[in-house]
């Protein structure tokens, strides 16, 4: 709780996103005093921080911080700060608008791969060569991560007739999607996935997951869609699998270093489609309502939704 006479105060970072967020946050919560890093005035005034990749140590310098709101759905950008205060709750941005756009991206890329567009695009040099096409029911789609984004993607794909299954930490089926868990479950899923979609959070357990041995477990000519985080993919292993034509195509939306440098080999690797981290973009008009509800809950001492489990890393 804060004194009734004082305005609740937010640190916002990065400054480059402030023009999109600050006006809508203020229209949802006019009493919120938003200070844009690094011009934050007295560090003791700050009650909540809304941040994306804040410089390490900044959050630790706020003695009265009550809540950290991630400006994104993923939170590895916060958890990697060695000075992150241990006792301040971290809330992820879970916005149905973003969930819908990620699921739309996944459906778009899965259909593209299912209809072999990644192969026909290479045939544009006057090569009239129809390829056999299977039905959606015969196309097995495996989804790594059946959380907010994986579940909605799975639901839409299942609605289109694809044979969808998934992998999560609990191994519990969700919304009628069969799930498996652990390394054995991952192998079982990979062996039955013609298209493998990664919607995992980046943690110590999931880094490099799309590398060997998983790539070899996939059936020949399988395809990958990665819209989790760049380090989920071992680029050397993926390039080798594409080179030996075991893997047929890959759609990559996220990268170790973004933007992907202009001379990165992935831009010209046959079978790879690069998209510039656009499966979802944060959407202030919807996101601000959700963030303000979290701030009000925090200031009133009510339970917070979408809390990060620091032990699990997501
Ligand atoms: P959630 O936290 O809702 O779901 C995470 C899922 O991953 C859960 O099903 C969880 O299992 C599973 N999981 C986590 N660790 C493991 C593990 N070691 N083994 C097996 N399963 C595991 O996350 P969201 O769906 O909201 O988001 C997922 C990620 O998508 C984000 O962290 C972010 O990196 C990325 N993202 C990318 C965007 C883009 O534009 N490309 C946009 C937004 C997000 P369980 O259900 O058992 O807990
Ligand atoms: C996110 C993202 O995590 O856009 O929100 O990647």
């Amino acid at each position: 709780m804060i004194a009734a006479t004082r305005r609740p105060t937010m640190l916002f970072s990065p400054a480059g996103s402030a023009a999109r967020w600050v006006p809508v946050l203020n229209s949802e919560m006019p009493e919120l005093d938003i200070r844009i890093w690094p011009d934050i005035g007295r560090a003791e005034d700050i009650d909540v921080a809304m941040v994306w990749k804040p410089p390490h140590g900044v959050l630790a310098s706020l003695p009265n911080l009550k809540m950290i709101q991630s400006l994104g759905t993923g939170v590895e950008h916060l958890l990697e700060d060695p000075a992150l205060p241990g006792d301040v709750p971290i809330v992820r941005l879970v916005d149905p608008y973003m969930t819908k756009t990620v699921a739309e991206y996944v459906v778009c890329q899965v259909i593209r791969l299912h209809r072999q567009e990644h192969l026909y695009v290479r045939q544009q040099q006057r090569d009239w060569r129809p390829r056999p096409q299977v039905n959606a029911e015969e196309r097995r789609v495996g989804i790594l991560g059946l959380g907010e984004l994986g579940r909605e993607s799975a639901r839409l794909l299942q609605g289109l007739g694809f044979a969808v299954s998934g992998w999560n930490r609990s191994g519990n089926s969700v919304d009628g999607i069969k799930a498996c868990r652990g390394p054995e479950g991952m192998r079982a899923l990979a062996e039955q996935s013609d298209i493998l979609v990664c919607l995992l959070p980046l943690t110590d357990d999931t880094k490099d997951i799309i590398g060997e041995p998983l790539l070899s477990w996939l059936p020949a000519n399988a395809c990958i869609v990665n819209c989790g985080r760049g380090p989920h993919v071992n680029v050397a292993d993926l390039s080798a699998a594409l080179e030996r034509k075991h893997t047929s195509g890959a759609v990559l939306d996220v990268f170790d270093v973004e933007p992907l440098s202009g001379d990165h080999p992935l831009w010209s690797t046959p079978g790879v489609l690069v998209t510039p981290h656009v499966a979802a973009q944060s959407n202030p008009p919807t996101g601000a309502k959700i963030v303000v509800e979290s701030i009000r809950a925090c200031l009133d001492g009510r339970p917070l939704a979408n809390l990060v489990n620091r032990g699990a890393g997501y």
Side-chain angles (χ1 to χ4, degrees), residues 56-168:
H56 290 178
V58 166
L59 297 169
S61 72
L62 309 171
N64 296 317
L65 191 62
K66 296 167 190 63
M67 182 183 98
I68 300 167
Q69 170 70 56
S70 172
L71 199 45
T73 306
V75 291
E76 78 293 341
H77 65 105
L78 295 169
L79 300 180
E80 64 199 17
D81 178 354
L84 185 69
D87 51 352
V88 180
I90 303 174
V91 174
R92 313 192 293 129
L93 181 59
V94 177
D95 180 349
Y97 180 97
M98 290 174 73
T99 302
K100 192 163 172 285
T101 57
V102 170
E104 193 178 273
Y105 176 95
V106 169
V107 167
C108 166
Q109 301 306 340
V110 165
I111 289 189
R112 209 183 127 263
L113 295 165
H114 164 61
R115 294 305 306 239
Q116 308 178 88
E117 288 268 333
H118 62 299
L119 301 178
Y120 288 125
V121 92
R122 291 194 236 165
Q123 279 183 215
Q124 293 306 296
Q125 309 305 319
R126 302 164 198 252
D127 181 5
W128 184 276
R129 186 158 39 103
R131 295 168 181 274
Q133 179 68 46
V134 303
N135 288 330
E137 287 73 10
E138 299 163 89
R139 191 73 81 188
R140 301 161 301 175
V141 181
I143 303 192
L144 300 175
L146 287 176
E148 298 291 335
L149 308 180
R151 279 201 308 276
E152 180 61 6
S153 303
R155 189 182 72 79
L156 294 184
L157 289 168
Q158 208 168 41
L160 289 167
F162 287 99
V164 184
S165 41
W167 188 70
N168 57 12

Side-chain angles (χ1 to χ4, degrees), residues 52 72-74 98 229 277 280:
W52 175 256
T73 306
M98 290 174 73
R229 286 288 183 257
H277 199 145

